[in-house]
Amino acid sequence: MVVRKDFETGIDRLQWYPQITKYLNAKEVFLLVGARRTGKSTMAYQIIKKLLNNGTAPENVVFINLDEPLFQTRSKDPAYLTGIIEYYQVQHKLSGTLYLFIDEVQNYEYWVQAIKTLYDTRKNIKIILTGSTSTLLQKEISIRLSGRYFHTIVYPLSFMECQSFTRSKKLTSIEKFHYFNNYLEYGSFPRVVLEEDNDLKQEILKNYFQTIYLKDIIFPNNLRNNRDVFDLLYFIISNVGKTFSYSNISKALSISVDTVKEYIVCSENSYLIYTLTKYDPSIKKQIANPKKLYCLDTGMVNSISFRFSDNKGRLLENLVFMTLRRKDLETYYFKGTYECDFIIKKELKIIDAIQVTLSLEDEDTRKREIRD
């Protein structure tokens, strides 16, 4: 679409992503990536609104949604996307920069080639893309668009963002505690946060899981054994924060080790699952050691997984991990004579250690969690 009329931009999130302004002013292609329903398309609309408010002419902004059925029927036509843009530029004698937004770009098979052609041959064009699989940042893009792009990962809402979505007044300590428990229980997908009905929140989360499972794991990777993939995801999400080995999961689910590895990589590429490595100075040992797995959103953990007695502690650990991930910190877990949930490494030094616990009231817990 050409942006000529009012459109819904939702609640402003650009303030939480200051790097977007920097990337928008650069010539390079800009990618907004992340799991489905985290708000990438809405943020693209917010960028458009900002451009228009700053004086950009509507005809200089074009938004193409490649999730639309019309475009999906031409997803294997190598000349289709560039043809649309060339036709538009011929029909409109533009002055200044053309801002080209392409939503869910991974749905077009030849997107890397098309974007490279536009970037290399068209002057005064700024390309902004959104996508839902991390393969966008791998394989062809790292080769064909090397040096030509920046990217930002969009996650579900942080706790601070979540409060800005639903509260206009400053919270008391008791209100904040209640609100945090709600945040832990239902997670922080924008649509879920804005929904008031708790049962409906659960249904939305289940629908999100099904969409990611089918559209970003099963279909793009041509995985045929849907049942095994679902069983693996159910197993992982029910055991967030626990150490695992590929062979242990293989035995538990009666799936080959190579298949387990393949399914986990596909799930990571959808931004649904994240792997945490045990810290060791030896890279070889890091690879060989057991790992931990976490899920994108605690609400999704609650809606999909088998509930267990220590669920809240695991949810809190998952939340802390995703907070560290959102900050793009190099994170590991540690297990030796003592254990530590997360250690943060910067360059060659360990700069921080974080231990997660619900309460220190119990004497045994306090002794276990706090040591000199």
Side-chain angles (χ1 to χ4, degrees):
M1 76 171 186
V2 181
V3 182
R4 294 185 180 278
K5 59 183 179 180
D6 289 337
F7 48 92
E8 180 59 44
T9 58
I11 299 171
D12 180 33
R13 294 185 69 188
L14 297 184
Q15 60 179 313
W16 304 98
Y17 292 82
Q19 69 272 32
I20 287 179
T21 299
K22 177 175 64 176
Y23 294 151
L24 200 61
N25 293 331
K27 180 183 185 299
E28 285 77 10
V29 175
F30 177 44
L31 285 79
L32 280 170
V33 294
R36 288 179 186 268
R37 313 310 299 173
T38 53
K40 300 182 302 297
S41 300
T42 300
M43 288 180 69
Y45 282 130
Q46 291 172 5
I47 294 171
I48 291 172
K49 193 73 171 180
K50 182 176 181 179
L51 290 171
L52 297 177
N53 289 341
N54 289 339
T56 300
E59 61 268 19
N60 282 55
V61 181
V62 175
F63 184 94
I64 299 174
N65 181 6
L66 293 182
D67 233 2
E68 293 289 340
L70 172 65
F71 292 109
Q72 290 182 2
T73 61
R74 305 295 294 273
S75 65
K76 297 183 183 298
D77 182 347
Y80 186 60
L81 187 57
T82 51
I84 290 175
I85 306 308
E86 289 170 357
Y87 178 80
Y88 181 82
Q89 289 184 303
V90 168
Q91 294 297 310
H92 300 78
K93 298 186 182 300
L94 304 175
S95 61
T97 301
L98 170 64
Y99 291 91
L100 173 62
F101 291 78
I102 303 178
D103 200 24
E104 298 297 351
V105 71
Q106 77 278 350
N107 290 337
Y108 181 58
E109 188 169 328
Y110 297 94
W111 76 269
V112 176
Q113 297 92 321
I115 297 305
K116 183 178 183 298
T117 298
L118 290 169
Y119 179 89
D120 289 342
T121 63
R122 294 285 183 271
K123 294 182 179 180
N124 296 327
I125 184 169
K126 175 66 180 183
I127 304 171
I128 300 96
L129 312 174
T130 79
S132 299
T133 55
S134 66
T135 48
L136 286 172
L137 306 177
Q138 300 169 7
K139 298 177 182 177
E140 286 191 281
I141 189 172
S142 62
I143 299 172
R144 299 202 180 195
L145 288 183
S146 178
R148 298 178 177 87
Y149 75 96
F150 297 110
H151 81 277
T152 288
I153 301 175
V154 179
Y155 294 99
L157 306 176
S158 68
F159 186 54
M160 293 293 290
E161 278 188 282
C162 209
Q163 290 182 73
S164 72
F165 262 50
T166 57
R167 295 289 186 274
S168 57
K169 66 181 183 67
K170 186 175 181 179
L171 299 175
T172 66
S173 296
I174 294 176
E175 287 174 331
K176 190 172 290 188
F177 179 77
H178 172 75
Y179 192 62
F180 182 79
N181 281 334
N182 197 61
Y183 179 75
L184 202 62
E185 175 75 13
Y186 298 106
S188 56
F189 282 98
R191 169 70 179 88
V192 175
V193 169
L194 293 172
E195 176 56 53
E196 295 183 357
D197 186 299
N198 290 339
D199 290 335
L200 193 53
K201 287 185 179 190
Q202 294 282 7
E203 291 302 312
I204 293 169
L205 286 163
K206 290 176 182 177
N207 287 340
Y208 285 1
F209 173 79
Q210 287 291 337
T211 300
I212 295 172
Y213 163 69
L214 291 172
K215 288 191 174 183
D216 295 328
I217 299 176
I218 296 294
F219 294 156
N221 297 292
N222 297 313
L223 302 180
R224 297 182 178 180
N225 199 328
N226 294 18
R227 185 71 247 178
D228 283 351
V229 179
F230 183 87
D231 288 346
L232 176 71
L233 291 174
Y234 182 80
F235 180 87
I236 289 172
I237 293 174
S238 295
N239 291 279
V240 292
K242 290 185 177 180
T243 55
F244 78 94
S245 67
Y246 297 118
S247 59
N248 287 342
I249 296 178
S250 171
K251 291 176 183 177
L253 300 179
S254 299
I255 306 172
S256 74
V257 171
D258 287 342
T259 301
V260 169
K261 290 180 181 179
E262 178 190 4
Y263 290 171
I264 288 177
V265 168
C266 293
S267 301
E268 286 185 291
N269 286 341
S270 73
Y271 296 99
L272 177 63
I273 299 299
Y274 297 83
T275 301
L276 183 66
T277 302
K278 178 184 174 183
Y279 176 75
D280 195 289
S282 166
I283 301 298
K284 186 176 181 180
K285 288 183 179 179
Q286 281 186 16
I287 295 172
N289 278 327
K291 296 172 176 55
K292 289 186 176 184
L293 284 166
Y294 295 95
C295 182
L296 170 70
D297 181 71
T298 56
M300 192 167 284
V301 173
N302 277 327
S303 68
I304 301 302
S305 71
F306 175 78
R307 295 296 189 98
F308 38 85
S309 58
D310 59 346
N311 189 57
K312 196 169 184 180
R314 296 273 177 78
L315 290 175
L316 185 60
E317 184 179 332
N318 197 105
L319 181 59
V320 172
F321 171 79
M322 288 308 304
T323 300
L324 297 172
R325 185 80 187 195
R326 185 182 283 107
K327 294 181 177 181
D328 198 25
L329 297 172
E330 186 178 349
T331 308
Y332 303 86
Y333 80 90
F334 179 77
K335 188 172 184 178
T337 304
Y338 301 121
E339 299 182 19
C340 185
D341 291 323
F342 305 109
I343 59 174
I344 313 302
K345 182 171 175 280
K346 185 176 182 181
E347 297 175 348
L348 300 178
K349 294 182 179 180
I350 302 299
I351 62 170
D352 208 351
I354 300 171
Q355 190 69 3
V356 182
T357 185
L358 276 176
S359 172
L360 292 173
E361 291 183 3
D362 179 74
E363 180 67 23
D364 291 336
T365 301
R366 189 161 56 250
K367 288 179 179 179
R368 184 183 71 243
E369 301 291 349
I370 300 177
R371 294 184 179 93
D372 294 332

Coordinates of all heavy atoms in Angstrom, one line a residue, residues 204-238:
I204 N -5.3 -16.9 23.3 CA -4.5 -16.2 22.4 C -3.1 -16.7 22.4 O -2.5 -16.9 21.3 CB -4.5 -14.7 22.8 CG1 -5.8 -14.0 22.6 CG2 -3.4 -13.9 22.0 CD1 -6.0 -12.6 23.2
L205 N -2.5 -17.0 23.6 CA -1.2 -17.6 23.7 C -1.1 -18.9 23.0 O -0.1 -19.2 22.3 CB -0.8 -17.7 25.1 CG -0.4 -16.4 25.8 CD1 -0.4 -16.5 27.3 CD2 0.9 -15.8 25.3
K206 N -2.1 -19.8 23.1 CA -2.1 -21.1 22.5 C -2.2 -20.9 20.9 O -1.5 -21.6 20.2 CB -3.3 -21.9 22.9 CG -3.2 -22.4 24.4 CD -4.4 -23.1 24.8 CE -4.2 -23.6 26.3 NZ -5.4 -24.2 26.8
N207 N -2.9 -19.9 20.5 CA -3.0 -19.6 19.1 C -1.6 -19.1 18.5 O -1.2 -19.5 17.4 CB -4.1 -18.6 18.8 CG -5.5 -19.1 18.9 OD1 -5.7 -20.3 18.9 ND2 -6.4 -18.2 19.1
Y208 N -1.0 -18.3 19.3 CA 0.4 -17.8 18.9 C 1.3 -19.0 18.8 O 2.1 -19.0 17.8 CB 0.9 -16.8 20.0 CG 0.3 -15.4 19.9 CD1 -0.7 -15.1 19.0 CD2 0.7 -14.4 20.8 CE1 -1.3 -13.9 19.0 CE2 0.2 -13.2 20.8 CZ -0.9 -12.9 19.9 OH -1.4 -11.6 19.8
F209 N 1.3 -19.9 19.8 CA 2.2 -21.0 19.7 C 1.9 -21.9 18.4 O 2.8 -22.2 17.7 CB 2.0 -21.9 20.9 CG 2.7 -23.2 20.9 CD1 4.1 -23.3 21.2 CD2 2.1 -24.4 20.5 CE1 4.8 -24.4 21.1 CE2 2.8 -25.6 20.4 CZ 4.1 -25.6 20.7
Q210 N 0.6 -22.1 18.1 CA 0.3 -22.9 16.9 C 0.8 -22.2 15.7 O 1.3 -22.8 14.7 CB -1.2 -23.1 16.9 CG -1.8 -24.1 17.9 CD -1.4 -25.5 17.6 OE1 -1.0 -25.8 16.4 NE2 -1.4 -26.4 18.6
T211 N 0.7 -20.9 15.6 CA 1.1 -20.1 14.4 C 2.6 -20.2 14.2 O 3.1 -20.5 13.1 CB 0.7 -18.6 14.6 OG1 -0.7 -18.6 14.7 CG2 1.1 -17.9 13.3
I212 N 3.4 -20.0 15.3 CA 4.8 -20.1 15.2 C 5.2 -21.5 14.9 O 6.1 -21.8 14.0 CB 5.5 -19.7 16.6 CG1 5.2 -18.2 16.8 CG2 7.0 -19.9 16.5 CD1 5.6 -17.7 18.2
Y213 N 4.6 -22.5 15.5 CA 4.9 -23.9 15.3 C 4.7 -24.3 13.8 O 5.5 -25.0 13.3 CB 4.0 -24.7 16.3 CG 3.8 -26.2 15.9 CD1 4.8 -27.1 16.1 CD2 2.6 -26.7 15.5 CE1 4.7 -28.4 15.8 CE2 2.4 -28.0 15.2 CZ 3.4 -28.9 15.4 OH 3.3 -30.2 15.1
L214 N 3.6 -23.9 13.3 CA 3.3 -24.2 11.9 C 4.0 -23.4 10.9 O 4.7 -23.9 10.0 CB 1.8 -24.2 11.6 CG 0.9 -25.2 12.3 CD1 -0.6 -24.9 12.2 CD2 1.2 -26.6 11.8
K215 N 3.9 -22.0 11.0 CA 4.4 -21.1 10.0 C 5.9 -20.9 10.0 O 6.5 -20.6 9.0 CB 3.7 -19.8 10.0 CG 2.2 -19.8 9.6 CD 1.7 -18.4 9.4 CE 0.3 -18.5 8.8 NZ -0.3 -17.1 8.6
D216 N 6.5 -21.0 11.2 CA 7.9 -20.7 11.3 C 8.8 -21.9 11.6 O 10.0 -21.7 11.6 CB 8.1 -19.6 12.3 CG 7.5 -18.3 11.9 OD1 7.4 -18.0 10.7 OD2 7.0 -17.5 12.8
I217 N 8.2 -23.0 12.0 CA 9.0 -24.2 12.2 C 8.7 -25.3 11.3 O 9.6 -25.8 10.5 CB 8.8 -24.7 13.7 CG1 9.2 -23.6 14.7 CG2 9.6 -26.0 14.0 CD1 8.9 -23.9 16.2
I218 N 7.4 -25.7 11.2 CA 7.1 -26.9 10.3 C 7.2 -26.6 8.8 O 8.0 -27.2 8.1 CB 5.6 -27.4 10.6 CG1 5.5 -27.9 12.1 CG2 5.2 -28.4 9.6 CD1 6.3 -29.1 12.3
F219 N 6.5 -25.5 8.4 CA 6.4 -25.3 6.9 C 7.7 -24.8 6.3 O 8.1 -25.4 5.3 CB 5.3 -24.2 6.6 CG 3.9 -24.7 7.0 CD1 2.9 -23.9 7.2 CD2 3.6 -26.1 7.0 CE1 1.6 -24.3 7.5 CE2 2.3 -26.6 7.3 CZ 1.3 -25.7 7.6
P220 N 8.4 -23.8 6.8 CA 9.6 -23.4 6.1 C 10.7 -24.4 6.1 O 11.6 -24.3 5.3 CB 10.0 -22.1 6.9 CG 9.4 -22.2 8.2 CD 8.1 -23.0 8.0
N221 N 10.7 -25.3 7.1 CA 11.8 -26.3 7.2 C 11.4 -27.7 6.6 O 12.1 -28.6 6.7 CB 12.2 -26.5 8.6 CG 12.8 -25.2 9.2 OD1 13.9 -24.8 8.8 ND2 12.1 -24.6 10.1
N222 N 10.2 -27.7 6.0 CA 9.6 -29.0 5.4 C 9.7 -30.2 6.4 O 10.2 -31.3 6.0 CB 10.4 -29.3 4.1 CG 10.2 -28.2 3.1 OD1 9.1 -27.8 2.8 ND2 11.3 -27.8 2.5
L223 N 9.4 -29.9 7.6 CA 9.4 -31.0 8.6 C 8.1 -31.8 8.5 O 7.0 -31.3 8.5 CB 9.5 -30.4 10.0 CG 10.8 -29.5 10.3 CD1 10.8 -29.0 11.7 CD2 12.0 -30.3 10.0
R224 N 8.3 -33.1 8.4 CA 7.1 -34.0 8.1 C 6.5 -34.6 9.3 O 5.3 -34.9 9.3 CB 7.5 -35.1 7.1 CG 8.0 -34.5 5.8 CD 8.4 -35.7 4.8 NE 8.8 -35.1 3.5 CZ 9.1 -35.9 2.5 NH1 9.2 -37.2 2.6 NH2 9.5 -35.3 1.3
N225 N 7.3 -34.9 10.3 CA 6.8 -35.5 11.5 C 6.3 -34.5 12.5 O 7.0 -34.2 13.5 CB 7.8 -36.5 12.1 CG 7.2 -37.5 13.1 OD1 6.1 -37.2 13.7 ND2 7.7 -38.7 13.1
N226 N 5.1 -33.9 12.3 CA 4.6 -32.9 13.2 C 4.5 -33.3 14.6 O 4.7 -32.5 15.5 CB 3.2 -32.4 12.7 CG 3.3 -31.8 11.3 OD1 4.3 -31.9 10.6 ND2 2.2 -31.0 11.0
R227 N 4.1 -34.6 14.9 CA 3.9 -35.0 16.2 C 5.2 -35.0 17.0 O 5.2 -34.6 18.2 CB 3.4 -36.5 16.2 CG 3.0 -37.1 17.5 CD 1.8 -36.4 18.1 NE 2.0 -35.7 19.3 CZ 1.1 -35.0 19.9 NH1 -0.1 -35.0 19.5 NH2 1.4 -34.3 21.0
D228 N 6.3 -35.4 16.4 CA 7.6 -35.4 17.1 C 8.1 -34.0 17.4 O 8.6 -33.7 18.5 CB 8.7 -36.1 16.2 CG 8.6 -37.6 16.3 OD1 7.8 -38.1 17.1 OD2 9.3 -38.3 15.5
V229 N 7.8 -33.1 16.5 CA 8.2 -31.7 16.7 C 7.4 -31.1 17.9 O 7.9 -30.4 18.8 CB 7.9 -30.8 15.4 CG1 8.3 -29.3 15.7 CG2 8.8 -31.3 14.3
F230 N 6.1 -31.4 17.9 CA 5.2 -30.9 19.0 C 5.7 -31.5 20.3 O 5.7 -30.8 21.3 CB 3.8 -31.2 18.7 CG 2.8 -30.7 19.7 CD1 2.3 -29.4 19.6 CD2 2.5 -31.5 20.8 CE1 1.5 -28.9 20.6 CE2 1.6 -31.0 21.8 CZ 1.1 -29.7 21.7
D231 N 5.9 -32.8 20.3 CA 6.4 -33.4 21.5 C 7.7 -32.8 22.1 O 7.8 -32.6 23.3 CB 6.6 -34.9 21.3 CG 5.3 -35.7 21.2 OD1 4.2 -35.1 21.5 OD2 5.3 -36.8 20.7
L232 N 8.6 -32.5 21.2 CA 9.9 -31.9 21.6 C 9.6 -30.5 22.2 O 10.2 -30.2 23.2 CB 10.8 -31.8 20.4 CG 12.1 -31.1 20.6 CD1 13.0 -31.9 21.5 CD2 12.8 -30.7 19.3
L233 N 8.8 -29.7 21.5 CA 8.5 -28.4 22.0 C 7.8 -28.4 23.4 O 8.1 -27.7 24.3 CB 7.7 -27.6 21.0 CG 8.4 -27.2 19.7 CD1 7.4 -26.6 18.7 CD2 9.5 -26.3 20.0
Y234 N 6.9 -29.4 23.5 CA 6.2 -29.5 24.8 C 7.1 -29.9 25.9 O 7.1 -29.4 27.0 CB 5.1 -30.6 24.6 CG 4.2 -30.8 25.8 CD1 3.2 -29.9 26.2 CD2 4.5 -31.9 26.7 CE1 2.4 -30.1 27.3 CE2 3.7 -32.1 27.8 CZ 2.7 -31.2 28.1 OH 2.0 -31.4 29.3
F235 N 8.0 -30.8 25.5 CA 9.1 -31.3 26.5 C 10.0 -30.1 26.9 O 10.2 -29.9 28.1 CB 9.9 -32.4 25.9 CG 11.0 -32.9 26.8 CD1 10.7 -34.0 27.7 CD2 12.2 -32.4 26.7 CE1 11.7 -34.5 28.5 CE2 13.3 -32.9 27.6 CZ 13.0 -33.9 28.5
I236 N 10.4 -29.3 26.0 CA 11.3 -28.2 26.3 C 10.7 -27.2 27.1 O 11.2 -26.7 28.1 CB 11.9 -27.6 24.9 CG1 12.8 -28.6 24.3 CG2 12.6 -26.3 25.2 CD1 13.3 -28.1 22.9
I237 N 9.4 -26.8 26.7 CA 8.7 -25.7 27.4 C 8.3 -26.1 28.8 O 8.2 -25.3 29.7 CB 7.5 -25.2 26.5 CG1 8.1 -24.5 25.2 CG2 6.7 -24.2 27.3 CD1 7.0 -24.2 24.2
S238 N 8.1 -27.4 29.0 CA 7.8 -27.9 30.3 C 9.0 -28.0 31.2 O 8.9 -28.3 32.4 CB 7.1 -29.3 30.2 OG 5.8 -29.1 29.5

